[in-house]
């Protein structure tokens, strides 16, 4: 049994048995992405308020303490204002965010980043999303915290509760790279060192760009069926780019089917491909332990 760290998921919305299964399978640490109104199996008919989002930060922080005690897993939280659902009075959250980030259980700011596909049909202009992202990136830079960047996936409204409102018209094959480049320009302007940037949901359209054009971490999400990355692809990327900046996560979400054991399966695929044990440990455990300072 190999120890692994799931560097991005929404496990605070899952039950006891999923946590036990993952802990038994070797999950020693995890980072919960908190503050996303779309995570839970409910529909928001009204635009979430700043108070609503604070509640979505505070509940997982309380849950993290209970999960550590019950399941013997180190639980960190990432807090941020997600652009996937418009938030009223988000400026109030910017003011409150530094105090929340001072909580010892908070290991990163995120997940944040431009997304033209808005959950529940609540439209949020990309211009205002950019303002919110830059304000958060400046806070991360000032505090020296890692920033988890959500890179968007083209959305089919039938796959999501409450529907999706999409703005803009970018071809699917260039979709993620287009928005990642816009995100990166904003984040660089905010002064965040790229060594603190964790680019998440990396797929084949941006993996080379992340490695060759940035010094950011390359995090790939394996568990959600919304974006399928098979273990063989992880093997290919590690062999092509090395293990130095690759992180694995599940991005488990409760409103769709998931591959719960995706990270252990990726580790086995790496071993079967004769990837050195040291590289497997770095990809599955050590890189996330380092960047999020989990102390494992």
């Amino acid at each position: 049994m190999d120890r692994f760290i799931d560097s991005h998921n929404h496990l605070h919305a899952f039950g006891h048995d999923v946590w036990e299964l993952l802990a038994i399978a070797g999950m020693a640490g995890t980072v919960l992405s908190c503050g996303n109104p779309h995570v839970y199996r409910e529909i928001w008919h009204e635009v979430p308020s700043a108070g609503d989002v604070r509640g979505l930060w505070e509940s997982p922080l309380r849950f993290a303490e209970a999960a550590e005690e019950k399941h013997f897993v180190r639980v960190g939280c990432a807090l941020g204002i997600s652009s996937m659902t418009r938030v009223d009075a988000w400026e109030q959250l910017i003011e409150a965010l530094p105090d929340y980030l001072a909580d010892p259980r908070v290991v990163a700011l995120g997940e944040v980043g431009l997304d033209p596909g808005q959950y529940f049909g609540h439209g949020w202009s990309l211009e205002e999303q950019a303002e919110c992202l830059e304000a958060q990136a400046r806070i991360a830079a000032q505090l020296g915290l890692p920033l988890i960047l959500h890179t968007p996936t083209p959305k089919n409204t039938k796959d999501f509760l409450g529907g999706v409102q999409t703005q803009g018209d970018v071809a699917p094959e260039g979709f993620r790279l287009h928005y990642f480049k816009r995100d990166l320009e904003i984040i660089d302007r905010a002064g965040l060192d790229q060594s603190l940037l964790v680019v998440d949901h990396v797929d084949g359209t941006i993996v080379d760009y992340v490695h060759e054009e940035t010094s950011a971490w390359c995090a790939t999400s394996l568990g959600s069926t919304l974006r399928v990355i098979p273990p063989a692809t992880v093997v290919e990327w590690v062999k092509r780019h090395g293990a130095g900046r690759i992180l694995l996560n599940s991005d488990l979400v409760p409103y769709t089917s998931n591959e719960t054991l995706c990270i252990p399966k990726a580790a086995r695929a790496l071993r079967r491909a004769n990837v050195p044990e040291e590289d497997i440990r770095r990809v599955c455990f050590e890189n996330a332990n380092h960047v999020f300072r989990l102390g494992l």
Side-chain angles (χ1 to χ4, degrees), residues 10-222:
H10 306 277
L11 281 169
H12 47 294
F14 285 78
H16 171 92
D17 290 348
V18 171
W19 278 85
E20 280 294 276
L21 174 63
L22 287 165
I24 291 167
M27 187 173 75
T30 189
V31 178
L32 309 179
S33 176
C34 312
N36 307 284
H38 67 277
V39 165
Y40 303 92
R41 292 180 60 84
E42 58 183 305
I43 295 174
W44 291 69
H45 293 291
E46 303 294 333
V47 175
S49 68
D52 291 327
V53 174
R54 282 197 298 269
L56 295 172
W57 291 343
E58 292 164 3
S59 177
L61 284 169
R62 294 191 298 270
F63 173 81
E65 181 179 0
E68 283 195 350
E69 181 178 341
K70 186 72 173 178
H71 303 291
F72 315 111
V73 173
R74 170 73 170 97
V75 182
C77 293
L79 306 186
I81 307 166
S82 168
S83 291
M84 289 177 275
T85 304
R86 180 161 66 90
V87 177
D88 274 344
W90 59 267
E91 298 89 348
Q92 296 177 15
L93 292 171
I94 295 296
E95 294 178 7
L97 194 51
D99 286 341
Y100 281 92
L101 297 177
D103 189 298
R105 292 196 179 276
V106 176
V107 298
L109 192 157
E111 61 187 289
V112 298
L114 302 179
D115 197 319
Q118 294 291 296
Y119 289 89
F120 314 116
H122 304 317
W124 195 1
S125 73
L126 288 168
E127 292 74 21
E128 192 169 352
Q129 288 184 42
E131 291 179 28
C132 186
L133 171 60
E134 184 169 352
Q136 293 182 91
R138 290 190 187 282
I139 292 172
Q142 291 163 5
L143 298 180
L145 269 180
L147 184 146
I148 298 175
L149 177 66
H150 161 89
T151 58
T153 302
K155 295 182 176 70
N156 179 348
T157 189
K158 294 181 180 179
D159 292 335
F160 299 93
L161 294 173
V164 173
Q165 182 184 89
T166 301
Q167 54 186 307
D169 185 20
V170 180
E173 59 271 17
F175 188 89
R176 197 181 300 274
L177 182 59
H178 172 84
Y179 288 104
F180 173 48
K181 286 181 176 180
R182 293 183 66 173
D183 286 330
L184 194 60
E185 181 180 342
I186 294 165
I187 290 166
D188 285 344
R189 185 168 63 241
L192 182 74
D193 192 308
Q194 288 186 3
S195 67
L196 289 173
L197 178 61
V198 180
V199 183
D200 221 326
H201 316 320
V202 169
D203 67 1
T205 67
I206 64 170
V207 64
D208 295 336
Y209 190 92
V210 173
H211 277 96
E212 295 167 7
E213 303 296 333
T214 82
S215 56
W217 296 89
C218 176
T220 187
S221 302
L222 306 175

Side-chain angles (χ1 to χ4, degrees), residues 257-274:
S257 58
N258 296 282
E259 177 57 83
T260 307
L261 297 178
C262 56
I263 297 177
K265 288 182 178 181
R268 289 179 70 80
L270 289 164
R271 184 163 291 118
R272 288 192 173 109
N274 296 315

